[in-house]
Structures are given as structure tokens and as C-alpha cells.
Amino acid sequence: MNPIYLTSLFLVAIPAATGLGTIALGTTALSLAIPTISVTAGTASLGTTLAALGLAKIGTAAVLALTRQRRQAGEVESNLIKQELLFQAVAKLEEGKCVRRFLCEVSTGHLNAPDYLATVKPLLSESLEAILDSAKFPYSEAVKSGARHNSIEKCQFKYSCPKSGAEIYEALALYGA
């Protein structure tokens, strides 16, 4: 599937979700189910942040799955393009710096969000110098920052967002993202 088409579909499908359900995407080579969320007026400010975090989680899982398969030279380049498009979509959906705050807080080890550890680990191992011009850079930098100083308070100071990482995680759990 064309990575530009796939990213466009993510940008249209996730914010347009009208209820709890699943959007299924598939080809003969890859199948992906995306949980959709419905956001009420009380959590409207978190709507796109929750979608961005869900997209980051799914994208990181997909990248990990692809790296476990045998690679061919063209496949590696294709995967890097897909990952870049994915993080561009996350950046467009992120409100304030809420995704970065959440990932920073998770990487401190003090926010109990075990289902996001698989999202944090690849970002932590990424060389910042290698991704300076990438859309992934601010998220990898946030993860490294949290792991380095191990302080939720420093994450909250560095990344402005009206909600704490714990509040974001609670909303993620509540809406199934």
C-alpha cells in the first residue's frame, strides 16, 4: 500500500472517529486494525492528542514487526519513509506538546504505562544525530530527556500541556486508544 495514501487515511480516519469501534486496513501483505475513539466535550482538548498517541503506538509496533522480518534493501528504505510519514501525522495531531510530555513521563519510569514501553524503547535507542531532520526527532528527544533526568516534574516543566501524563494515560485507557 502506498505510504502516502496510508498516512492520508490515518489523518482522515482517526480524527473523524464517531464512536468506539475499529477501523480495519488490510492488504495481502499487511493488515492493521486501528481502534477508534469518541471524545466528549470534557475531553475535547485531548482528542487529537489521544489519536496521535494511538498512532505513535501502532506505528512503532508496526515498525518493530517489520524489522523482525527478513529485510531487503528496498524494504528498509520503504519502512523509513513510512515511519517518517507516521511521525509527521503524529506531529499534525499533537496539541501543544502533550504527546512529547506523555512520552517523556513514560520514559522516566515513574508513570505506570506498560503498554507504551514498546513505543518508548525504539525512540530511546535512536541516535538523535541520525534523525535531526526527521519528524521523529522531537519525540525521540522527549523520551531521551525523560530517561536522562528521571523526573516527571521536569517533563511537565519542559513540555507544556494542560494535562499530566497520568491524566492522558487515564483518558487513553478510558477511550480504548
Side-chain angles (χ1 to χ4, degrees):
M1 182 174 263
N2 183 339
I4 294 172
Y5 175 75
L6 183 62
T7 301
S8 299
L9 186 58
F10 280 139
L11 290 174
V12 171
I14 291 177
T18 58
L20 293 178
T22 302
I23 298 170
L25 303 175
T27 66
T28 56
L30 175 67
S31 181
L32 180 64
I34 302 170
T36 62
I37 57 173
S38 174
V39 181
T40 62
T43 59
S45 65
L46 280 179
T48 59
T49 296
L50 297 177
L53 281 165
L55 186 57
K57 181 179 176 184
I58 290 168
T60 306
V63 168
L64 287 174
L66 290 172
T67 59
R68 290 186 180 136
Q69 296 175 354
R70 283 193 319 190
R71 296 183 184 181
Q72 296 175 353
E75 206 175 303
V76 172
E77 185 176 325
S78 175
N79 290 339
L80 291 174
I81 292 169
K82 289 176 185 176
Q83 193 174 19
E84 180 64 16
L85 291 172
L86 177 92
F87 277 96
Q88 287 174 1
V90 170
K92 287 179 182 178
L93 290 171
E94 182 179 24
E95 292 181 54
K97 294 181 181 177
C98 292
V99 172
R100 287 174 264 188
R101 173 185 273 188
F102 178 77
L103 294 174
C104 180
E105 289 187 30
V106 170
S107 69
T108 65
H110 299 297
L111 176 63
N112 186 19
D115 43 335
Y116 278 86
L117 292 177
T119 302
V120 167
K121 285 181 183 179
L123 292 170
L124 186 59
S125 65
E126 194 85 49
S127 166
L128 289 178
E129 292 77 26
I131 59 168
L132 278 173
D133 295 329
S134 170
K136 185 178 11 172
F137 177 82
Y139 305 101
S140 185
E141 193 278 328
V143 167
K144 289 179 185 299
S145 177
R148 184 176 53 252
H149 56 61
N150 284 330
S151 168
I152 287 177
E153 293 78 18
K154 287 184 180 178
C155 291
Q156 291 173 348
F157 179 76
K158 186 171 184 175
Y159 301 104
S160 60
C161 177
K163 303 288 184 184
S164 70
E167 291 169 324
I168 294 169
Y169 188 66
E170 184 179 306
L172 286 165
L174 182 65
Y175 291 103

Coordinates of all heavy atoms in Angstrom, one line a residue, residues 35-117:
P35 N -8.0 1.1 16.6 CA -9.1 1.4 17.4 C -9.5 2.9 17.3 O -8.6 3.7 17.2 CB -8.6 1.2 18.8 CG -7.1 1.1 18.7 CD -6.7 0.9 17.3
T36 N -10.8 3.1 17.2 CA -11.3 4.5 17.0 C -11.7 4.9 18.4 O -12.0 4.1 19.3 CB -12.4 4.6 16.0 OG1 -13.5 3.8 16.5 CG2 -12.0 4.1 14.6
I37 N -11.8 6.3 18.6 CA -12.2 6.8 19.9 C -13.3 7.9 19.6 O -13.4 8.5 18.6 CB -11.1 7.4 20.7 CG1 -10.4 8.5 19.8 CG2 -10.1 6.4 21.1 CD1 -9.3 9.2 20.6
S38 N -14.1 8.0 20.6 CA -15.1 9.1 20.6 C -14.7 10.0 21.8 O -14.4 9.6 22.9 CB -16.5 8.5 20.8 OG -17.4 9.6 21.0
V39 N -14.7 11.3 21.5 CA -14.3 12.3 22.5 C -15.5 13.2 22.9 O -16.1 13.7 22.1 CB -13.1 13.1 22.0 CG1 -12.7 14.1 23.1 CG2 -12.0 12.2 21.5
T40 N -15.7 13.2 24.2 CA -16.8 14.1 24.7 C -16.3 15.5 24.9 O -15.1 15.7 24.9 CB -17.4 13.5 26.0 OG1 -16.4 13.5 27.0 CG2 -17.9 12.1 25.8
A41 N -17.2 16.4 25.2 CA -16.9 17.8 25.5 C -15.8 17.9 26.6 O -15.0 18.8 26.5 CB -18.1 18.6 25.8
G42 N -15.9 17.1 27.6 CA -15.0 17.2 28.7 C -13.6 16.9 28.4 O -12.6 17.3 29.0
T43 N -13.4 16.0 27.4 CA -12.0 15.6 27.0 C -11.7 16.1 25.6 O -10.7 15.7 25.0 CB -11.9 14.1 27.0 OG1 -12.9 13.5 26.1 CG2 -12.0 13.6 28.4
A44 N -12.5 17.1 25.0 CA -12.2 17.5 23.7 C -10.8 18.1 23.5 O -10.2 17.9 22.4 CB -13.3 18.6 23.3
S45 N -10.2 18.7 24.5 CA -8.9 19.2 24.4 C -7.9 18.1 24.2 O -6.8 18.3 23.7 CB -8.5 20.1 25.6 OG -8.5 19.3 26.7
L46 N -8.2 16.9 24.6 CA -7.3 15.8 24.4 C -7.5 14.9 23.2 O -6.8 14.0 22.9 CB -7.4 14.8 25.6 CG -6.7 15.2 26.9 CD1 -7.0 14.2 28.0 CD2 -5.2 15.4 26.7
G47 N -8.6 15.2 22.4 CA -9.0 14.4 21.3 C -7.9 14.1 20.3 O -7.6 12.9 20.1
T48 N -7.2 15.1 19.8 CA -6.2 14.8 18.8 C -4.9 14.3 19.4 O -4.2 13.5 18.8 CB -5.9 16.0 17.9 OG1 -5.5 17.1 18.7 CG2 -7.1 16.4 17.1
T49 N -4.7 14.6 20.7 CA -3.5 14.1 21.4 C -3.7 12.6 21.6 O -2.8 11.8 21.4 CB -3.3 14.8 22.8 OG1 -3.0 16.1 22.5 CG2 -2.2 14.1 23.6
L50 N -4.9 12.1 22.0 CA -5.1 10.7 22.1 C -5.0 10.0 20.8 O -4.4 8.9 20.7 CB -6.5 10.5 22.7 CG -6.8 11.0 24.1 CD1 -8.2 10.8 24.5 CD2 -5.8 10.5 25.1
A51 N -5.5 10.6 19.7 CA -5.3 10.0 18.4 C -3.9 9.9 18.0 O -3.4 8.9 17.5 CB -6.1 10.8 17.4
A52 N -3.1 11.0 18.3 CA -1.7 11.0 18.0 C -0.9 9.9 18.7 O -0.1 9.2 18.2 CB -1.1 12.3 18.3
L53 N -1.2 9.7 20.0 CA -0.6 8.7 20.8 C -0.9 7.3 20.3 O -0.1 6.4 20.3 CB -0.9 8.8 22.3 CG -0.1 9.9 23.0 CD1 -0.7 10.3 24.4 CD2 1.3 9.5 23.2
G54 N -2.2 7.1 20.0 CA -2.6 5.8 19.4 C -1.9 5.5 18.1 O -1.4 4.4 17.9
L55 N -1.7 6.6 17.3 CA -1.0 6.4 16.0 C 0.5 6.1 16.3 O 1.1 5.2 15.6 CB -1.1 7.7 15.2 CG -0.6 7.7 13.8 CD1 -1.2 6.6 13.0 CD2 -0.9 9.0 13.1
A56 N 1.1 6.8 17.2 CA 2.5 6.5 17.6 C 2.7 5.1 18.1 O 3.6 4.4 17.7 CB 3.0 7.5 18.6
K57 N 1.8 4.7 18.9 CA 1.8 3.3 19.4 C 1.7 2.3 18.3 O 2.5 1.3 18.2 CB 0.7 3.1 20.5 CG 0.7 1.8 21.1 CD -0.4 1.7 22.2 CE -0.5 0.4 22.8 NZ -1.7 0.3 23.7
I58 N 0.7 2.4 17.5 CA 0.5 1.5 16.4 C 1.7 1.5 15.4 O 2.2 0.5 15.0 CB -0.8 1.8 15.6 CG1 -2.0 1.5 16.5 CG2 -0.9 1.1 14.3 CD1 -3.3 2.0 16.1
G59 N 2.2 2.7 15.1 CA 3.3 2.8 14.1 C 4.5 2.2 14.6 O 5.3 1.6 13.9
T60 N 4.9 2.4 15.9 CA 6.1 1.8 16.5 C 5.9 0.3 16.5 O 6.9 -0.4 16.2 CB 6.3 2.4 17.9 OG1 6.3 3.8 17.8 CG2 7.6 1.9 18.4
A61 N 4.8 -0.2 16.8 CA 4.6 -1.7 16.8 C 4.7 -2.2 15.4 O 5.3 -3.3 15.2 CB 3.2 -2.0 17.3
A62 N 4.2 -1.5 14.4 CA 4.3 -2.0 13.0 C 5.8 -1.9 12.6 O 6.3 -2.9 11.9 CB 3.5 -1.1 12.1
V63 N 6.5 -0.9 13.0 CA 7.9 -0.8 12.6 C 8.7 -2.0 13.2 O 9.6 -2.6 12.6 CB 8.5 0.6 13.0 CG1 10.0 0.6 12.9 CG2 7.9 1.6 12.1
L64 N 8.4 -2.3 14.5 CA 9.1 -3.4 15.2 C 8.8 -4.7 14.5 O 9.7 -5.5 14.3 CB 8.7 -3.4 16.7 CG 9.3 -2.4 17.6 CD1 8.7 -2.5 19.0 CD2 10.8 -2.5 17.6
A65 N 7.6 -4.9 14.1 CA 7.2 -6.1 13.4 C 7.9 -6.3 12.1 O 8.4 -7.3 11.7 CB 5.7 -6.2 13.2
L66 N 8.0 -5.2 11.4 CA 8.7 -5.2 10.1 C 10.2 -5.4 10.2 O 10.8 -6.1 9.4 CB 8.4 -3.9 9.3 CG 7.0 -3.7 8.8 CD1 6.8 -2.3 8.2 CD2 6.7 -4.7 7.8
T67 N 10.8 -4.9 11.3 CA 12.2 -5.1 11.5 C 12.5 -6.6 11.9 O 13.7 -7.0 11.7 CB 12.8 -4.2 12.5 OG1 12.2 -4.4 13.8 CG2 12.7 -2.8 12.1
R68 N 11.6 -7.3 12.4 CA 11.8 -8.7 12.7 C 11.7 -9.6 11.5 O 12.2 -10.7 11.6 CB 10.8 -9.1 13.8 CG 11.0 -8.5 15.1 CD 10.1 -9.0 16.2 NE 10.4 -8.3 17.4 CZ 9.5 -7.8 18.3 NH1 8.2 -8.0 18.0 NH2 9.8 -7.2 19.4
Q69 N 11.1 -9.1 10.4 CA 11.1 -9.9 9.2 C 12.4 -9.7 8.5 O 13.1 -8.8 8.7 CB 9.9 -9.4 8.3 CG 8.6 -9.6 9.0 CD 7.4 -9.0 8.1 OE1 7.7 -8.4 7.1 NE2 6.2 -9.3 8.5
R70 N 12.6 -10.7 7.5 CA 13.8 -10.5 6.7 C 13.7 -9.3 5.9 O 12.6 -9.0 5.3 CB 14.0 -11.7 5.8 CG 14.5 -12.9 6.5 CD 15.0 -14.0 5.6 NE 14.1 -14.1 4.5 CZ 14.1 -15.1 3.6 NH1 15.1 -16.1 3.7 NH2 13.3 -15.2 2.6
R71 N 14.8 -8.6 5.8 CA 14.8 -7.3 5.1 C 15.5 -7.4 3.7 O 16.4 -8.1 3.6 CB 15.5 -6.2 5.9 CG 14.9 -5.9 7.2 CD 15.7 -4.8 7.8 NE 15.2 -4.5 9.1 CZ 15.8 -3.5 9.8 NH1 16.8 -2.8 9.4 NH2 15.3 -3.3 11.0
Q72 N 15.0 -6.6 2.8 CA 15.6 -6.4 1.5 C 16.0 -4.9 1.5 O 15.3 -4.1 2.2 CB 14.7 -6.8 0.4 CG 14.4 -8.2 0.4 CD 13.4 -8.6 -0.7 OE1 12.8 -7.7 -1.4 NE2 13.1 -9.8 -0.9
A73 N 16.9 -4.5 0.7 CA 17.4 -3.2 0.7 C 16.3 -2.2 0.4 O 16.2 -1.2 1.1 CB 18.5 -3.0 -0.4
G74 N 15.4 -2.4 -0.5 CA 14.3 -1.5 -0.8 C 13.3 -1.5 0.3 O 12.6 -0.4 0.5
E75 N 13.1 -2.6 1.0 CA 12.2 -2.7 2.1 C 12.6 -1.8 3.3 O 11.7 -1.1 3.9 CB 12.1 -4.1 2.5 CG 10.8 -4.5 3.2 CD 10.7 -6.0 3.5 OE1 10.9 -6.8 2.6 OE2 10.5 -6.3 4.7
V76 N 13.9 -1.7 3.5 CA 14.4 -0.8 4.6 C 14.1 0.6 4.3 O 13.6 1.3 5.2 CB 15.9 -1.1 4.8 CG1 16.4 0.0 5.8 CG2 16.2 -2.5 5.3
E77 N 14.3 1.1 3.1 CA 14.1 2.4 2.7 C 12.6 2.7 2.8 O 12.2 3.8 3.3 CB 14.6 2.7 1.3 CG 14.5 4.2 0.9 CD 15.1 4.5 -0.4 OE1 16.1 3.9 -0.7 OE2 14.5 5.3 -1.1
S78 N 11.8 1.8 2.3 CA 10.3 2.0 2.3 C 9.8 2.1 3.8 O 9.0 2.9 4.1 CB 9.7 0.8 1.7 OG 8.3 0.9 1.8
N79 N 10.4 1.3 4.7 CA 10.0 1.3 6.1 C 10.3 2.7 6.7 O 9.6 3.2 7.5 CB 10.6 0.2 6.9 CG 10.0 -1.1 6.5 OD1 8.9 -1.2 6.0 ND2 10.7 -2.2 6.8
L80 N 11.5 3.2 6.4 CA 11.9 4.5 6.9 C 11.0 5.6 6.4 O 10.6 6.5 7.2 CB 13.4 4.8 6.5 CG 14.4 4.0 7.2 CD1 15.8 4.2 6.6 CD2 14.4 4.1 8.7
I81 N 10.6 5.5 5.2 CA 9.6 6.5 4.6 C 8.3 6.4 5.3 O 7.7 7.4 5.7 CB 9.5 6.3 3.1 CG1 10.8 6.7 2.4 CG2 8.3 7.2 2.6 CD1 10.8 6.3 0.9
K82 N 7.8 5.2 5.6 CA 6.6 5.0 6.3 C 6.6 5.6 7.7 O 5.7 6.2 8.2 CB 6.2 3.5 6.3 CG 5.8 3.0 4.9 CD 5.5 1.5 5.0 CE 5.2 1.0 3.6 NZ 5.0 -0.5 3.7
Q83 N 7.8 5.3 8.4 CA 7.9 5.8 9.7 C 8.0 7.3 9.8 O 7.4 7.9 10.6 CB 9.2 5.2 10.3 CG 9.3 5.3 11.8 CD 10.5 4.6 12.3 OE1 11.5 4.3 11.6 NE2 10.6 4.4 13.6
E84 N 8.6 7.9 8.8 CA 8.7 9.4 8.7 C 7.3 10.0 8.5 O 6.9 10.9 9.2 CB 9.6 9.8 7.6 CG 9.7 11.3 7.5 CD 10.3 12.0 8.7 OE1 11.0 11.4 9.5 OE2 10.2 13.3 8.8
L85 N 6.5 9.4 7.6 CA 5.1 9.8 7.4 C 4.3 9.7 8.6 O 3.4 10.5 8.9 CB 4.5 9.1 6.2 CG 5.1 9.4 4.8 CD1 4.6 8.5 3.8 CD2 4.9 10.9 4.5
L86 N 4.5 8.6 9.3 CA 3.7 8.3 10.5 C 4.0 9.4 11.6 O 3.0 10.0 12.1 CB 4.1 7.0 11.1 CG 3.4 6.6 12.4 CD1 2.1 5.9 12.1 CD2 4.3 5.8 13.3
F87 N 5.2 9.8 11.8 CA 5.6 10.8 12.8 C 5.2 12.2 12.3 O 4.9 13.1 13.1 CB 7.0 10.7 13.2 CG 7.2 9.7 14.3 CD1 7.7 8.4 14.0 CD2 7.0 10.0 15.6 CE1 7.8 7.4 14.9 CE2 7.1 9.0 16.6 CZ 7.6 7.7 16.3
Q88 N 5.1 12.4 11.0 CA 4.5 13.7 10.5 C 3.1 13.8 10.9 O 2.6 14.8 11.3 CB 4.7 13.8 9.0 CG 6.2 14.0 8.6 CD 6.3 14.0 7.1 OE1 5.4 13.8 6.3 NE2 7.6 14.2 6.6
A89 N 2.4 12.6 10.8 CA 0.9 12.6 11.1 C 0.8 12.9 12.7 O -0.1 13.6 13.1 CB 0.3 11.3 10.7
V90 N 1.6 12.2 13.5 CA 1.6 12.5 14.9 C 1.8 13.9 15.2 O 1.1 14.5 16.0 CB 2.6 11.6 15.6 CG1 2.8 12.0 17.1 CG2 2.3 10.1 15.5
A91 N 2.8 14.5 14.6 CA 3.1 16.0 14.8 C 1.9 16.9 14.4 O 1.6 17.8 15.1 CB 4.3 16.4 14.0
K92 N 1.2 16.5 13.4 CA 0.0 17.3 13.0 C -1.2 17.1 14.0 O -1.9 18.1 14.2 CB -0.5 16.9 11.6 CG 0.4 17.3 10.5 CD -0.1 16.9 9.1 CE 0.9 17.4 8.0 NZ 0.5 16.9 6.7
L93 N -1.3 16.0 14.6 CA -2.4 15.7 15.5 C -2.1 16.2 16.9 O -3.0 16.4 17.7 CB -2.7 14.2 15.6 CG -3.3 13.6 14.3 CD1 -3.3 12.1 14.5 CD2 -4.7 14.1 14.1
E94 N -0.8 16.4 17.3 CA -0.4 16.7 18.6 C -0.9 18.1 19.0 O -0.7 19.1 18.2 CB 1.1 16.6 18.8 CG 1.6 17.0 20.2 CD 3.1 16.9 20.3 OE1 3.8 17.0 19.3 OE2 3.5 16.7 21.5
E95 N -1.6 18.2 20.1 CA -2.0 19.5 20.6 C -0.9 20.0 21.7 O -0.6 19.2 22.6 CB -3.3 19.4 21.3 CG -4.4 19.1 20.4 CD -5.8 19.1 21.1 OE1 -6.1 20.0 21.8 OE2 -6.4 18.0 20.9
G96 N -0.4 21.2 21.5 CA 0.6 21.7 22.4 C 1.8 20.7 22.3 O 2.3 20.4 21.2
K97 N 2.3 20.3 23.4 CA 3.4 19.3 23.5 C 3.0 18.1 24.3 O 3.8 17.5 25.0 CB 4.6 20.0 24.0 CG 5.2 21.1 23.1 CD 6.5 21.7 23.7 CE 7.0 22.8 22.8 NZ 8.1 23.4 23.3
C98 N 1.7 17.8 24.2 CA 1.1 16.7 25.1 C 1.7 15.3 24.8 O 1.9 14.5 25.7 CB -0.4 16.7 25.0 SG -1.2 18.1 25.7
V99 N 1.9 15.0 23.5 CA 2.5 13.7 23.2 C 3.9 13.6 23.7 O 4.3 12.6 24.3 CB 2.4 13.4 21.6 CG1 3.2 12.1 21.3 CG2 1.0 13.3 21.2
R100 N 4.7 14.7 23.5 CA 6.0 14.7 24.0 C 6.1 14.6 25.5 O 6.9 13.9 26.1 CB 6.8 15.9 23.5 CG 7.1 15.8 22.0 CD 7.7 17.1 21.5 NE 6.6 17.8 20.9 CZ 6.7 18.9 20.2 NH1 7.9 19.5 20.0 NH2 5.7 19.5 19.7
R101 N 5.2 15.3 26.2 CA 5.1 15.2 27.6 C 4.8 13.8 28.1 O 5.5 13.3 29.0 CB 4.1 16.2 28.2 CG 3.9 16.0 29.7 CD 2.8 16.8 30.3 NE 3.3 18.1 30.7 CZ 2.6 19.0 31.4 NH1 1.4 18.7 31.8 NH2 3.1 20.1 31.7
F102 N 3.8 13.2 27.5 CA 3.4 11.8 27.8 C 4.6 10.9 27.6 O 4.9 10.1 28.5 CB 2.2 11.4 27.0 CG 1.8 10.0 27.3 CD1 1.1 9.7 28.5 CD2 2.1 8.9 26.5 CE1 0.7 8.4 28.8 CE2 1.7 7.6 26.8 CZ 1.0 7.4 27.9
L103 N 5.2 10.9 26.5 CA 6.4 10.0 26.2 C 7.5 10.3 27.1 O 8.2 9.3 27.6 CB 6.8 10.1 24.7 CG 5.8 9.7 23.7 CD1 6.3 10.0 22.3 CD2 5.5 8.2 23.9
C104 N 7.8 11.5 27.5 CA 8.8 11.9 28.4 C 8.5 11.3 29.8 O 9.4 10.7 30.4 CB 8.9 13.4 28.5 SG 10.2 14.0 29.6
E105 N 7.3 11.4 30.2 CA 6.9 10.9 31.5 C 7.0 9.4 31.6 O 7.4 8.8 32.6 CB 5.5 11.4 31.9 CG 5.5 12.9 32.3 CD 4.2 13.4 32.8 OE1 3.5 12.6 33.5 OE2 3.8 14.6 32.6
V106 N 6.6 8.7 30.5 CA 6.7 7.3 30.5 C 8.1 6.8 30.6 O 8.4 5.9 31.3 CB 6.0 6.7 29.2 CG1 6.3 5.2 29.0 CG2 4.5 6.9 29.2
S107 N 9.0 7.5 29.9 CA 10.4 7.1 29.9 C 11.1 7.4 31.2 O 12.2 6.8 31.4 CB 11.2 7.8 28.7 OG 11.3 9.2 28.9
T108 N 10.5 8.2 32.1 CA 11.2 8.4 33.4 C 11.1 7.1 34.2 O 11.9 6.9 35.1 CB 10.5 9.5 34.2 OG1 9.1 9.1 34.5 CG2 10.5 10.8 33.5
G109 N 10.1 6.2 33.9 CA 9.9 5.0 34.7 C 9.0 5.2 35.9 O 8.6 4.3 36.6
H110 N 8.5 6.5 36.1 CA 7.7 6.8 37.2 C 6.2 6.9 36.8 O 5.3 7.0 37.7 CB 8.1 8.1 37.8 CG 9.5 8.1 38.4 ND1 9.9 7.2 39.4 CD2 10.6 8.8 38.0 CE1 11.2 7.4 39.7 NE2 11.6 8.3 38.8
L111 N 5.9 6.8 35.5 CA 4.5 6.8 35.1 C 4.2 5.4 34.7 O 4.9 4.9 33.8 CB 4.2 7.8 33.9 CG 2.8 7.7 33.3 CD1 1.8 8.2 34.4 CD2 2.8 8.6 32.1
N112 N 3.3 4.7 35.3 CA 3.0 3.3 35.0 C 2.1 3.3 33.8 O 0.9 3.4 33.8 CB 2.3 2.7 36.2 CG 2.1 1.2 36.0 OD1 2.7 0.6 35.2 ND2 1.2 0.6 36.8
A113 N 2.7 3.1 32.6 CA 2.0 2.9 31.3 C 2.7 1.8 30.6 O 3.4 2.0 29.5 CB 2.1 4.2 30.6
P114 N 2.5 0.5 31.0 CA 3.3 -0.6 30.4 C 3.0 -0.8 28.9 O 3.9 -1.2 28.2 CB 2.8 -1.8 31.3 CG 1.5 -1.4 31.9 CD 1.6 0.1 32.1
D115 N 1.8 -0.5 28.5 CA 1.6 -0.7 27.0 C 2.2 0.4 26.1 O 2.2 0.2 24.9 CB 0.1 -0.8 26.8 CG -0.8 0.3 27.5 OD1 -0.3 0.7 28.5 OD2 -1.9 0.6 27.0
Y116 N 2.9 1.4 26.7 CA 3.6 2.3 25.9 C 5.1 2.1 26.0 O 5.9 2.9 25.4 CB 3.2 3.8 26.3 CG 2.0 4.2 25.6 CD1 0.7 3.9 26.1 CD2 2.0 4.8 24.3 CE1 -0.4 4.2 25.4 CE2 0.9 5.1 23.6 CZ -0.4 4.8 24.2 OH -1.5 5.1 23.5
L117 N 5.6 1.2 26.8 CA 7.0 0.9 26.9 C 7.6 0.5 25.5 O 8.7 0.8 25.2 CB 7.3 -0.1 27.9 CG 7.0 0.3 29.4 CD1 7.3 -0.8 30.4 CD2 7.9 1.5 29.7

